[in-house]
Amino acid sequence: MLLATSTIASGDREEWGDGRGTTFIHRAALRVVHFRTRGYLSDELEYFGRSRNEAILDELIARGEKPALQCFYDWSEMTGYSSSARTQSTSFILGRRRQFALVCILFKSPLVAMAINVANLLRGGCVQGTTAREEFAARLKRALDGG
């Protein structure tokens, strides 16, 4: 299993691939992280993304900052995902829900839409999904502009 416990600095980019898929991470600002997954979201790729999120949240807390992380997941090129990847990422977001200001997901799958709706009900409204790239890009731009 991948050991991905370090955080990435604001402006940095990382990627991890496992032969079936690739996840790209860009920490676009102190509290804004952009994820993009191509192909299959395996347990390993889910862990890569989740561990980076966790490290960023912990870093903000250690610095005395209010986390209020805004995460943008571009899953429009994702071909599928393992059930444990879905479960782990949902559990992580729900477990640390007070530390997320927004979780926005660009998707194309009806199954992802259903999972987003359930997560949003459990999360209290901060999980947003869209199938429109323009809407996703506009939300990301607002986050980067401080809105």
Side-chain angles (χ1 to χ4, degrees), residues 5 9 13 30 36 50 72 79 82 97 107 122 125 131 147:
T5 56
R13 298 172 190 268
L30 183 66
R36 184 168 48 103
R50 179 170 40 93
F72 293 83
T79 58
S82 74
R97 64 183 165 267
F107 64 92
L122 295 172
T131 57

Side-chain angles (χ1 to χ4, degrees), residues 127-147:
V127 179
Q128 301 174 3
T130 182
T131 57
R133 179 163 299 284
E134 298 78 21
E135 183 179 346
F136 180 82
R139 289 178 184 173
L140 178 57
K141 184 178 180 335
R142 271 195 307 274
L144 292 171
D145 291 344

